[in-house]
Amino acid sequence: EAGVVQSPRYKIIEKKQPVAFWCNPISGHNTLYWYLQNLGQGPELLIRYENEEAVDDSQLPKDRFSAERLKGVDSTLKIQPAELGDSAVYLCASSKTSGGVSGTDTQYFGPGTRLTVL
Amino acid sequence: SQKIEQNSEALNIQEGKTATLTCNYTNYSPAYLQWYRQDPGRGPVFLLLIRENEKEKRKERLKVTFDTTLKQSLFHITASQPADSATYLCALVGGFKTIFGAGTRLFVKA
């Protein structure tokens, strides 16, 4: 079974430029997460999708970040314009949420996209 | 605010010994606690999950304990091997949210 796929793996841009990250979750996984991970820190949730609906985007800086999950499968995270402080690893994860209690499902992470903003 | 604390300093142990990592939390009542392993340049990989009504969970050389009174989880790797060297993250799960700790770096020397 293929894991979570992310692209690109690395991205270097200048500040104020736009950037986009793509994620393909594990087949059949209805829940998709985008996390931000700074060096030496744990992942911090940016947005969580249940199918195509964003059910938790409270931590997403909506002035510059946007995300979409077309047809409840692939997802794209965009930053426009990028700032120096956005340099980090952006992780995508997916899980197969079972009925009833949420949050008990194992999350499968992709390798991440390392963004460097110059 | 919710806070998770893991040993910020790296843990260095000799091969064959038991590694014990600590996860403490405050201002939170998780329904579950998870432990993940993360290698450099890779995403976290799920290892174990323990529920609030469970005291201990085992999987091969791994053991996790969960004390909701102390608000603490201990993660043990017995008969450690150099291949166990990685960063280990604890994650608190509850109320549709997962909150990760910063992780503890483990080095196992041959």
Side-chain angles (χ1 to χ4, degrees):
Chain A
E1 179 183 81
V4 176
V5 179
Q6 290 187 247
S7 69
R9 290 294 316 275
Y10 305 91
K11 189 72 176 179
I12 301 174
I13 61 171
E14 294 189 346
K15 63 181 180 181
K16 301 185 181 179
Q17 294 301 305
V19 65
F21 314 124
W22 175 79
C23 174
N24 177 239
I26 292 173
S27 177
H29 282 194
N30 55 326
T31 305
L32 184 146
Y33 313 75
W34 282 104
Y35 288 91
L36 176 154
Q37 186 173 29
N38 286 304
L39 187 65
Q41 300 297 315
E44 299 172 32
L45 182 69
L46 290 172
I47 189 168
R48 176 170 67 94
Y49 283 92
E50 295 285 348
N51 299 305
E52 61 273 5
E53 181 184 0
V55 296
D56 184 355
D57 62 356
S58 58
Q59 301 304 310
L60 189 71
K62 299 180 184 61
D63 56 336
R64 297 183 301 106
F65 286 65
S66 64
E68 61 182 6
R69 190 182 184 195
L70 300 176
K71 301 180 181 179
V73 182
D74 294 1
S75 179
T76 303
L77 177 69
K78 298 179 181 178
I79 307 175
Q80 182 170 8
E83 297 178 353
L84 295 176
D86 296 332
S87 296
V89 175
Y90 292 82
L91 293 163
C92 178
S94 69
S95 67
K96 190 171 184 178
T97 303
S98 55
V101 181
S102 178
T104 66
D105 308 292
T106 299
Q107 295 184 38
Y108 295 83
F109 284 82
T113 296
R114 179 175 295 278
L115 173 67
T116 301
V117 182
L118 303 175
Chain B
S1 62
Q2 299 158 347
K3 190 174 181 181
I4 304 174
E5 289 186 350
Q6 293 189 252
N7 308 45
S8 58
E9 294 183 8
L11 180 62
N12 291 282
I13 64 168
Q14 200 67 36
E15 182 178 12
K17 300 294 185 182
T18 296
T20 299
L21 285 68
T22 305
C23 176
N24 295 298
Y25 61 93
T26 57
N27 299 325
Y28 199 56
S29 296
Y32 308 82
L33 189 145
Q34 298 175 328
W35 282 88
Y36 287 78
R37 168 182 173 143
Q38 187 170 24
D39 292 284
R42 296 179 179 270
V45 175
F46 172 79
L47 297 174
L48 279 171
L49 177 152
I50 186 166
R51 292 174 168 78
E52 60 177 341
N53 59 351
E54 297 176 319
K55 295 296 184 184
E56 181 179 299
K57 186 73 80 69
R58 292 176 183 261
K59 179 182 178 182
E60 298 173 349
R61 295 185 295 111
L62 309 180
K63 185 180 82 171
V64 174
T65 63
F66 192 13
D67 189 325
T68 56
T69 300
L70 292 178
K71 294 187 181 298
Q72 181 182 77
S73 174
L74 298 178
F75 178 79
H76 306 272
I77 305 175
T78 58
S80 60
Q81 304 166 1
D84 295 326
S85 298
T87 296
Y88 292 86
L89 306 166
C90 70
L92 306 182
V93 185
F96 298 93
K97 286 193 180 292
T98 301
I99 301 175
F100 284 85
T104 298
R105 190 84 169 90
L106 173 66
F107 293 97
V108 181
K109 295 180 290 185

PDB file of all heavy atoms in Angstrom, chain A residues 9 35 37 40 42-43 48 56 58 101-104 106-107 109-111, chain B residues 32 34 36 38 41-44 46 49 89 93 96-98 100-102:
ATOM      1  N   ARG A   9       9.505  17.930  -2.322  1.00  0.00           N
ATOM      2  CA  ARG A   9      10.144  17.609  -1.054  1.00  0.00           C
ATOM      3  C   ARG A   9      10.861  18.812  -0.482  1.00  0.00           C
ATOM      4  O   ARG A   9      10.960  18.980   0.728  1.00  0.00           O
ATOM      5  CB  ARG A   9      11.141  16.465  -1.231  1.00  0.00           C
ATOM      6  CG  ARG A   9      10.508  15.109  -1.501  1.00  0.00           C
ATOM      7  CD  ARG A   9       9.693  14.599  -0.305  1.00  0.00           C
ATOM      8  NE  ARG A   9      10.369  14.782   0.970  1.00  0.00           N
ATOM      9  CZ  ARG A   9      11.255  13.937   1.473  1.00  0.00           C
ATOM     10  NH1 ARG A   9      11.590  12.849   0.812  1.00  0.00           N
ATOM     11  NH2 ARG A   9      11.825  14.164   2.643  1.00  0.00           N
ATOM     12  N   TYR A  35       0.086  19.897   8.741  1.00  0.00           N
ATOM     13  CA  TYR A  35       0.805  20.348   9.928  1.00  0.00           C
ATOM     14  C   TYR A  35       1.996  21.194   9.510  1.00  0.00           C
ATOM     15  O   TYR A  35       2.562  21.020   8.438  1.00  0.00           O
ATOM     16  CB  TYR A  35       1.350  19.159  10.727  1.00  0.00           C
ATOM     17  CG  TYR A  35       0.343  18.337  11.475  1.00  0.00           C
ATOM     18  CD1 TYR A  35      -0.261  17.229  10.877  1.00  0.00           C
ATOM     19  CD2 TYR A  35       0.013  18.633  12.799  1.00  0.00           C
ATOM     20  CE1 TYR A  35      -1.173  16.443  11.585  1.00  0.00           C
ATOM     21  CE2 TYR A  35      -0.896  17.853  13.503  1.00  0.00           C
ATOM     22  CZ  TYR A  35      -1.474  16.764  12.887  1.00  0.00           C
ATOM     23  OH  TYR A  35      -2.374  15.994  13.587  1.00  0.00           O
ATOM     24  N   GLN A  37       5.850  22.032  11.023  1.00  0.00           N
ATOM     25  CA  GLN A  37       6.815  21.603  12.035  1.00  0.00           C
ATOM     26  C   GLN A  37       8.078  22.451  11.935  1.00  0.00           C
ATOM     27  O   GLN A  37       8.774  22.422  10.918  1.00  0.00           O
ATOM     28  CB  GLN A  37       7.164  20.120  11.893  1.00  0.00           C
ATOM     29  CG  GLN A  37       8.060  19.608  13.024  1.00  0.00           C
ATOM     30  CD  GLN A  37       8.279  18.109  12.974  1.00  0.00           C
ATOM     31  OE1 GLN A  37       8.250  17.487  11.922  1.00  0.00           O
ATOM     32  NE2 GLN A  37       8.533  17.504  14.143  1.00  0.00           N
ATOM     33  N   GLY A  40      13.095  21.230  15.859  1.00  0.00           N
ATOM     34  CA  GLY A  40      13.115  20.975  17.289  1.00  0.00           C
ATOM     35  C   GLY A  40      11.758  21.030  17.958  1.00  0.00           C
ATOM     36  O   GLY A  40      11.671  20.969  19.195  1.00  0.00           O
ATOM     37  N   GLY A  42       7.359  19.860  17.793  1.00  0.00           N
ATOM     38  CA  GLY A  42       6.431  18.879  17.273  1.00  0.00           C
ATOM     39  C   GLY A  42       5.541  19.486  16.207  1.00  0.00           C
ATOM     40  O   GLY A  42       5.488  20.709  16.051  1.00  0.00           O
ATOM     41  N   PRO A  43       4.860  18.655  15.441  1.00  0.00           N
ATOM     42  CA  PRO A  43       3.943  19.167  14.418  1.00  0.00           C
ATOM     43  C   PRO A  43       2.808  19.978  15.050  1.00  0.00           C
ATOM     44  O   PRO A  43       2.295  19.605  16.106  1.00  0.00           O
ATOM     45  CB  PRO A  43       3.398  17.892  13.766  1.00  0.00           C
ATOM     46  CG  PRO A  43       4.401  16.837  14.089  1.00  0.00           C
ATOM     47  CD  PRO A  43       4.938  17.191  15.428  1.00  0.00           C
ATOM     48  N   ARG A  48      -7.606  20.557   9.265  1.00  0.00           N
ATOM     49  CA  ARG A  48      -8.037  19.160   9.174  1.00  0.00           C
ATOM     50  C   ARG A  48      -9.283  19.075   8.307  1.00  0.00           C
ATOM     51  O   ARG A  48     -10.235  19.854   8.487  1.00  0.00           O
ATOM     52  CB  ARG A  48      -8.332  18.598  10.560  1.00  0.00           C
ATOM     53  CG  ARG A  48      -8.892  17.172  10.552  1.00  0.00           C
ATOM     54  CD  ARG A  48      -8.939  16.588  11.972  1.00  0.00           C
ATOM     55  NE  ARG A  48      -9.889  17.275  12.824  1.00  0.00           N
ATOM     56  CZ  ARG A  48     -11.151  16.888  13.021  1.00  0.00           C
ATOM     57  NH1 ARG A  48     -11.624  15.831  12.391  1.00  0.00           N
ATOM     58  NH2 ARG A  48     -11.933  17.564  13.833  1.00  0.00           N
ATOM     59  N   ASP A  56     -11.594  21.826  10.876  1.00  0.00           N
ATOM     60  CA  ASP A  56     -10.819  22.558  11.873  1.00  0.00           C
ATOM     61  C   ASP A  56      -9.739  23.346  11.146  1.00  0.00           C
ATOM     62  O   ASP A  56      -8.737  22.775  10.723  1.00  0.00           O
ATOM     63  CB  ASP A  56     -10.198  21.608  12.894  1.00  0.00           C
ATOM     64  CG  ASP A  56      -9.468  22.350  14.017  1.00  0.00           C
ATOM     65  OD1 ASP A  56      -9.355  23.601  13.959  1.00  0.00           O
ATOM     66  OD2 ASP A  56      -8.992  21.681  14.953  1.00  0.00           O
ATOM     67  N   SER A  58      -8.841  26.440  12.606  1.00  0.00           N
ATOM     68  CA  SER A  58      -8.687  27.517  13.581  1.00  0.00           C
ATOM     69  C   SER A  58      -7.258  28.023  13.690  1.00  0.00           C
ATOM     70  O   SER A  58      -7.022  29.154  14.105  1.00  0.00           O
ATOM     71  CB  SER A  58      -9.190  27.053  14.953  1.00  0.00           C
ATOM     72  OG  SER A  58      -8.489  25.894  15.380  1.00  0.00           O
ATOM     73  N   VAL A 101     -16.149   8.009  17.951  1.00  0.00           N
ATOM     74  CA  VAL A 101     -15.161   8.899  18.553  1.00  0.00           C
ATOM     75  C   VAL A 101     -14.066   9.242  17.556  1.00  0.00           C
ATOM     76  O   VAL A 101     -13.409   8.372  17.020  1.00  0.00           O
ATOM     77  CB  VAL A 101     -14.529   8.238  19.803  1.00  0.00           C
ATOM     78  CG1 VAL A 101     -13.533   9.163  20.442  1.00  0.00           C
ATOM     79  CG2 VAL A 101     -15.617   7.836  20.774  1.00  0.00           C
ATOM     80  N   SER A 102     -13.886  10.537  17.352  1.00  0.00           N
ATOM     81  CA  SER A 102     -12.818  10.985  16.453  1.00  0.00           C
ATOM     82  C   SER A 102     -11.539  11.146  17.235  1.00  0.00           C
ATOM     83  O   SER A 102     -11.532  11.268  18.438  1.00  0.00           O
ATOM     84  CB  SER A 102     -13.201  12.311  15.812  1.00  0.00           C
ATOM     85  OG  SER A 102     -12.162  12.785  14.974  1.00  0.00           O
ATOM     86  N   GLY A 103     -10.451  11.169  16.536  1.00  0.00           N
ATOM     87  CA  GLY A 103      -9.171  11.394  17.182  1.00  0.00           C
ATOM     88  C   GLY A 103      -8.509  10.124  17.647  1.00  0.00           C
ATOM     89  O   GLY A 103      -7.396  10.161  18.143  1.00  0.00           O
ATOM     90  N   THR A 104      -9.150   8.987  17.516  1.00  0.00           N
ATOM     91  CA  THR A 104      -8.512   7.752  17.952  1.00  0.00           C
ATOM     92  C   THR A 104      -7.800   7.074  16.805  1.00  0.00           C
ATOM     93  O   THR A 104      -7.151   6.066  16.995  1.00  0.00           O
ATOM     94  CB  THR A 104      -9.551   6.763  18.486  1.00  0.00           C
ATOM     95  OG1 THR A 104     -10.391   6.358  17.398  1.00  0.00           O
ATOM     96  CG2 THR A 104     -10.396   7.400  19.556  1.00  0.00           C
ATOM     97  N   THR A 106      -5.247   6.278  13.833  1.00  0.00           N
ATOM     98  CA  THR A 106      -3.826   6.450  13.585  1.00  0.00           C
ATOM     99  C   THR A 106      -3.616   7.371  12.399  1.00  0.00           C
ATOM    100  O   THR A 106      -4.220   7.195  11.343  1.00  0.00           O
ATOM    101  CB  THR A 106      -3.179   5.100  13.297  1.00  0.00           C
ATOM    102  OG1 THR A 106      -3.356   4.265  14.440  1.00  0.00           O
ATOM    103  CG2 THR A 106      -1.701   5.261  13.003  1.00  0.00           C
ATOM    104  N   GLN A 107      -2.737   8.346  12.563  1.00  0.00           N
ATOM    105  CA  GLN A 107      -2.390   9.248  11.474  1.00  0.00           C
ATOM    106  C   GLN A 107      -1.135   8.744  10.784  1.00  0.00           C
ATOM    107  O   GLN A 107      -0.166   8.379  11.432  1.00  0.00           O
ATOM    108  CB  GLN A 107      -2.152  10.663  12.013  1.00  0.00           C
ATOM    109  CG  GLN A 107      -3.402  11.296  12.604  1.00  0.00           C
ATOM    110  CD  GLN A 107      -3.171  12.718  13.042  1.00  0.00           C
ATOM    111  OE1 GLN A 107      -2.457  13.486  12.401  1.00  0.00           O
ATOM    112  NE2 GLN A 107      -3.798  13.094  14.162  1.00  0.00           N
ATOM    113  N   PHE A 109       1.766   9.845   8.221  1.00  0.00           N
ATOM    114  CA  PHE A 109       2.382  11.082   7.737  1.00  0.00           C
ATOM    115  C   PHE A 109       3.162  10.872   6.443  1.00  0.00           C
ATOM    116  O   PHE A 109       3.765   9.810   6.218  1.00  0.00           O
ATOM    117  CB  PHE A 109       3.345  11.635   8.789  1.00  0.00           C
ATOM    118  CG  PHE A 109       2.676  12.307   9.949  1.00  0.00           C
ATOM    119  CD1 PHE A 109       2.176  11.561  11.008  1.00  0.00           C
ATOM    120  CD2 PHE A 109       2.547  13.687   9.980  1.00  0.00           C
ATOM    121  CE1 PHE A 109       1.552  12.183  12.089  1.00  0.00           C
ATOM    122  CE2 PHE A 109       1.937  14.316  11.056  1.00  0.00           C
ATOM    123  CZ  PHE A 109       1.436  13.561  12.105  1.00  0.00           C
ATOM    124  N   GLY A 110       3.161  11.912   5.630  1.00  0.00           N
ATOM    125  CA  GLY A 110       4.044  11.949   4.480  1.00  0.00           C
ATOM    126  C   GLY A 110       5.421  12.420   4.906  1.00  0.00           C
ATOM    127  O   GLY A 110       5.637  12.756   6.079  1.00  0.00           O
ATOM    128  N   PRO A 111       6.373  12.486   3.963  1.00  0.00           N
ATOM    129  CA  PRO A 111       7.742  12.883   4.304  1.00  0.00           C
ATOM    130  C   PRO A 111       7.904  14.372   4.555  1.00  0.00           C
ATOM    131  O   PRO A 111       8.903  14.795   5.117  1.00  0.00           O
ATOM    132  CB  PRO A 111       8.541  12.461   3.068  1.00  0.00           C
ATOM    133  CG  PRO A 111       7.551  12.533   1.959  1.00  0.00           C
ATOM    134  CD  PRO A 111       6.240  12.106   2.555  1.00  0.00           C
TER     135      PRO A 111
ATOM    136  N   TYR B  32      -6.868   9.905  24.760  1.00  0.00           N
ATOM    137  CA  TYR B  32      -5.862   8.961  24.323  1.00  0.00           C
ATOM    138  C   TYR B  32      -4.513   9.632  24.308  1.00  0.00           C
ATOM    139  O   TYR B  32      -4.418  10.854  24.264  1.00  0.00           O
ATOM    140  CB  TYR B  32      -6.157   8.477  22.892  1.00  0.00           C
ATOM    141  CG  TYR B  32      -7.544   7.951  22.693  1.00  0.00           C
ATOM    142  CD1 TYR B  32      -8.598   8.812  22.465  1.00  0.00           C
ATOM    143  CD2 TYR B  32      -7.795   6.592  22.728  1.00  0.00           C
ATOM    144  CE1 TYR B  32      -9.888   8.337  22.292  1.00  0.00           C
ATOM    145  CE2 TYR B  32      -9.070   6.108  22.546  1.00  0.00           C
ATOM    146  CZ  TYR B  32     -10.107   6.981  22.333  1.00  0.00           C
ATOM    147  OH  TYR B  32     -11.370   6.496  22.157  1.00  0.00           O
ATOM    148  N   GLN B  34      -0.717   9.041  22.266  1.00  0.00           N
ATOM    149  CA  GLN B  34      -0.001   8.277  21.239  1.00  0.00           C
ATOM    150  C   GLN B  34       1.488   8.578  21.303  1.00  0.00           C
ATOM    151  O   GLN B  34       1.891   9.669  21.726  1.00  0.00           O
ATOM    152  CB  GLN B  34      -0.523   8.651  19.841  1.00  0.00           C
ATOM    153  CG  GLN B  34      -1.999   8.331  19.629  1.00  0.00           C
ATOM    154  CD  GLN B  34      -2.488   8.823  18.270  1.00  0.00           C
ATOM    155  OE1 GLN B  34      -2.015   9.817  17.755  1.00  0.00           O
ATOM    156  NE2 GLN B  34      -3.453   8.111  17.708  1.00  0.00           N
ATOM    157  N   TYR B  36       4.912   8.500  18.736  1.00  0.00           N
ATOM    158  CA  TYR B  36       5.383   8.419  17.367  1.00  0.00           C
ATOM    159  C   TYR B  36       6.904   8.434  17.359  1.00  0.00           C
ATOM    160  O   TYR B  36       7.544   9.011  18.237  1.00  0.00           O
ATOM    161  CB  TYR B  36       4.894   9.626  16.543  1.00  0.00           C
ATOM    162  CG  TYR B  36       3.430   9.625  16.191  1.00  0.00           C
ATOM    163  CD1 TYR B  36       2.469   9.987  17.132  1.00  0.00           C
ATOM    164  CD2 TYR B  36       3.003   9.276  14.919  1.00  0.00           C
ATOM    165  CE1 TYR B  36       1.118  10.006  16.801  1.00  0.00           C
ATOM    166  CE2 TYR B  36       1.648   9.293  14.583  1.00  0.00           C
ATOM    167  CZ  TYR B  36       0.725   9.660  15.532  1.00  0.00           C
ATOM    168  OH  TYR B  36      -0.610   9.676  15.208  1.00  0.00           O
ATOM    169  N   GLN B  38      10.125   9.661  14.874  1.00  0.00           N
ATOM    170  CA  GLN B  38      10.444  10.477  13.715  1.00  0.00           C
ATOM    171  C   GLN B  38      11.941  10.438  13.452  1.00  0.00           C
ATOM    172  O   GLN B  38      12.752  10.748  14.324  1.00  0.00           O
ATOM    173  CB  GLN B  38       9.994  11.934  13.909  1.00  0.00           C
ATOM    174  CG  GLN B  38      10.153  12.777  12.656  1.00  0.00           C
ATOM    175  CD  GLN B  38       9.505  14.140  12.757  1.00  0.00           C
ATOM    176  OE1 GLN B  38       9.312  14.666  13.855  1.00  0.00           O
ATOM    177  NE2 GLN B  38       9.132  14.730  11.621  1.00  0.00           N
ATOM    178  N   GLY B  41      14.375  14.052   8.395  1.00  0.00           N
ATOM    179  CA  GLY B  41      13.912  14.166   7.024  1.00  0.00           C
ATOM    180  C   GLY B  41      12.671  13.353   6.705  1.00  0.00           C
ATOM    181  O   GLY B  41      12.276  13.247   5.535  1.00  0.00           O
ATOM    182  N   ARG B  42      12.052  12.792   7.724  1.00  0.00           N
ATOM    183  CA  ARG B  42      10.853  11.976   7.501  1.00  0.00           C
ATOM    184  C   ARG B  42       9.713  12.428   8.400  1.00  0.00           C
ATOM    185  O   ARG B  42       9.926  13.138   9.379  1.00  0.00           O
ATOM    186  CB  ARG B  42      11.153  10.497   7.780  1.00  0.00           C
ATOM    187  CG  ARG B  42      12.178   9.897   6.821  1.00  0.00           C
ATOM    188  CD  ARG B  42      12.459   8.445   7.170  1.00  0.00           C
ATOM    189  NE  ARG B  42      13.407   7.835   6.257  1.00  0.00           N
ATOM    190  CZ  ARG B  42      13.059   7.214   5.142  1.00  0.00           C
ATOM    191  NH1 ARG B  42      11.786   7.107   4.820  1.00  0.00           N
ATOM    192  NH2 ARG B  42      13.987   6.682   4.369  1.00  0.00           N
ATOM    193  N   GLY B  43       8.513  12.018   8.042  1.00  0.00           N
ATOM    194  CA  GLY B  43       7.375  12.322   8.894  1.00  0.00           C
ATOM    195  C   GLY B  43       7.290  11.355  10.060  1.00  0.00           C
ATOM    196  O   GLY B  43       7.907  10.291  10.043  1.00  0.00           O
ATOM    197  N   PRO B  44       6.553  11.715  11.101  1.00  0.00           N
ATOM    198  CA  PRO B  44       6.387  10.820  12.252  1.00  0.00           C
ATOM    199  C   PRO B  44       5.700   9.517  11.849  1.00  0.00           C
ATOM    200  O   PRO B  44       4.863   9.499  10.951  1.00  0.00           O
ATOM    201  CB  PRO B  44       5.494  11.632  13.197  1.00  0.00           C
ATOM    202  CG  PRO B  44       5.676  13.061  12.783  1.00  0.00           C
ATOM    203  CD  PRO B  44       5.888  13.005  11.305  1.00  0.00           C
ATOM    204  N   PHE B  46       3.582   6.297  13.580  1.00  0.00           N
ATOM    205  CA  PHE B  46       2.838   5.870  14.761  1.00  0.00           C
ATOM    206  C   PHE B  46       3.421   4.583  15.343  1.00  0.00           C
ATOM    207  O   PHE B  46       3.756   3.639  14.620  1.00  0.00           O
ATOM    208  CB  PHE B  46       1.373   5.634  14.379  1.00  0.00           C
ATOM    209  CG  PHE B  46       0.542   5.006  15.470  1.00  0.00           C
ATOM    210  CD1 PHE B  46       0.070   5.777  16.515  1.00  0.00           C
ATOM    211  CD2 PHE B  46       0.243   3.655  15.433  1.00  0.00           C
ATOM    212  CE1 PHE B  46      -0.698   5.203  17.512  1.00  0.00           C
ATOM    213  CE2 PHE B  46      -0.522   3.076  16.422  1.00  0.00           C
ATOM    214  CZ  PHE B  46      -0.994   3.850  17.467  1.00  0.00           C
ATOM    215  N   LEU B  49      -0.693   3.457  20.933  1.00  0.00           N
ATOM    216  CA  LEU B  49      -1.763   4.287  21.467  1.00  0.00           C
ATOM    217  C   LEU B  49      -2.203   3.694  22.789  1.00  0.00           C
ATOM    218  O   LEU B  49      -2.318   2.481  22.933  1.00  0.00           O
ATOM    219  CB  LEU B  49      -2.940   4.322  20.491  1.00  0.00           C
ATOM    220  CG  LEU B  49      -4.216   5.088  20.891  1.00  0.00           C
ATOM    221  CD1 LEU B  49      -4.930   5.591  19.644  1.00  0.00           C
ATOM    222  CD2 LEU B  49      -5.172   4.224  21.697  1.00  0.00           C
ATOM    223  N   LEU B  89       8.057  11.322  19.720  1.00  0.00           N
ATOM    224  CA  LEU B  89       7.063  12.346  20.022  1.00  0.00           C
ATOM    225  C   LEU B  89       5.878  11.730  20.752  1.00  0.00           C
ATOM    226  O   LEU B  89       5.407  10.661  20.366  1.00  0.00           O
ATOM    227  CB  LEU B  89       6.533  12.975  18.730  1.00  0.00           C
ATOM    228  CG  LEU B  89       7.533  13.558  17.742  1.00  0.00           C
ATOM    229  CD1 LEU B  89       6.861  13.809  16.396  1.00  0.00           C
ATOM    230  CD2 LEU B  89       8.097  14.857  18.279  1.00  0.00           C
ATOM    231  N   VAL B  93      -4.516  13.218  22.511  1.00  0.00           N
ATOM    232  CA  VAL B  93      -5.655  13.203  21.610  1.00  0.00           C
ATOM    233  C   VAL B  93      -6.938  13.326  22.420  1.00  0.00           C
ATOM    234  O   VAL B  93      -7.165  12.548  23.350  1.00  0.00           O
ATOM    235  CB  VAL B  93      -5.700  11.906  20.790  1.00  0.00           C
ATOM    236  CG1 VAL B  93      -6.827  11.958  19.760  1.00  0.00           C
ATOM    237  CG2 VAL B  93      -4.369  11.663  20.108  1.00  0.00           C
ATOM    238  N   PHE B  96     -11.399  15.913  19.361  1.00  0.00           N
ATOM    239  CA  PHE B  96     -11.127  16.100  17.945  1.00  0.00           C
ATOM    240  C   PHE B  96      -9.797  16.800  17.689  1.00  0.00           C
ATOM    241  O   PHE B  96      -9.575  17.309  16.594  1.00  0.00           O
ATOM    242  CB  PHE B  96     -12.252  16.884  17.255  1.00  0.00           C
ATOM    243  CG  PHE B  96     -13.568  16.193  17.293  1.00  0.00           C
ATOM    244  CD1 PHE B  96     -14.474  16.443  18.314  1.00  0.00           C
ATOM    245  CD2 PHE B  96     -13.914  15.265  16.322  1.00  0.00           C
ATOM    246  CE1 PHE B  96     -15.693  15.776  18.367  1.00  0.00           C
ATOM    247  CE2 PHE B  96     -15.136  14.614  16.362  1.00  0.00           C
ATOM    248  CZ  PHE B  96     -16.023  14.868  17.383  1.00  0.00           C
ATOM    249  N   LYS B  97      -8.940  16.849  18.686  1.00  0.00           N
ATOM    250  CA  LYS B  97      -7.654  17.518  18.478  1.00  0.00           C
ATOM    251  C   LYS B  97      -6.503  16.610  18.887  1.00  0.00           C
ATOM    252  O   LYS B  97      -6.617  15.827  19.834  1.00  0.00           O
ATOM    253  CB  LYS B  97      -7.585  18.800  19.304  1.00  0.00           C
ATOM    254  CG  LYS B  97      -8.424  19.941  18.744  1.00  0.00           C
ATOM    255  CD  LYS B  97      -8.089  21.244  19.396  1.00  0.00           C
ATOM    256  CE  LYS B  97      -8.931  22.379  18.840  1.00  0.00           C
ATOM    257  NZ  LYS B  97      -8.565  22.645  17.425  1.00  0.00           N
ATOM    258  N   THR B  98      -5.403  16.723  18.183  1.00  0.00           N
ATOM    259  CA  THR B  98      -4.165  16.036  18.524  1.00  0.00           C
ATOM    260  C   THR B  98      -3.111  17.089  18.752  1.00  0.00           C
ATOM    261  O   THR B  98      -2.881  17.940  17.887  1.00  0.00           O
ATOM    262  CB  THR B  98      -3.722  15.090  17.398  1.00  0.00           C
ATOM    263  OG1 THR B  98      -4.744  14.122  17.152  1.00  0.00           O
ATOM    264  CG2 THR B  98      -2.437  14.369  17.782  1.00  0.00           C
ATOM    265  N   PHE B 100       0.903  17.640  19.729  1.00  0.00           N
ATOM    266  CA  PHE B 100       2.181  16.944  19.796  1.00  0.00           C
ATOM    267  C   PHE B 100       3.143  17.650  20.747  1.00  0.00           C
ATOM    268  O   PHE B 100       3.177  18.885  20.821  1.00  0.00           O
ATOM    269  CB  PHE B 100       2.832  16.895  18.413  1.00  0.00           C
ATOM    270  CG  PHE B 100       2.220  15.885  17.483  1.00  0.00           C
ATOM    271  CD1 PHE B 100       1.099  16.209  16.730  1.00  0.00           C
ATOM    272  CD2 PHE B 100       2.752  14.619  17.367  1.00  0.00           C
ATOM    273  CE1 PHE B 100       0.532  15.282  15.878  1.00  0.00           C
ATOM    274  CE2 PHE B 100       2.193  13.686  16.516  1.00  0.00           C
ATOM    275  CZ  PHE B 100       1.080  14.015  15.770  1.00  0.00           C
ATOM    276  N   GLY B 101       3.955  16.848  21.420  1.00  0.00           N
ATOM    277  CA  GLY B 101       5.075  17.391  22.159  1.00  0.00           C
ATOM    278  C   GLY B 101       6.230  17.667  21.211  1.00  0.00           C
ATOM    279  O   GLY B 101       6.182  17.308  20.027  1.00  0.00           O
ATOM    280  N   ALA B 102       7.290  18.291  21.741  1.00  0.00           N
ATOM    281  CA  ALA B 102       8.438  18.654  20.908  1.00  0.00           C
ATOM    282  C   ALA B 102       9.337  17.464  20.614  1.00  0.00           C
ATOM    283  O   ALA B 102      10.180  17.522  19.715  1.00  0.00           O
ATOM    284  CB  ALA B 102       9.244  19.757  21.581  1.00  0.00           C
TER     285      ALA B 102
END
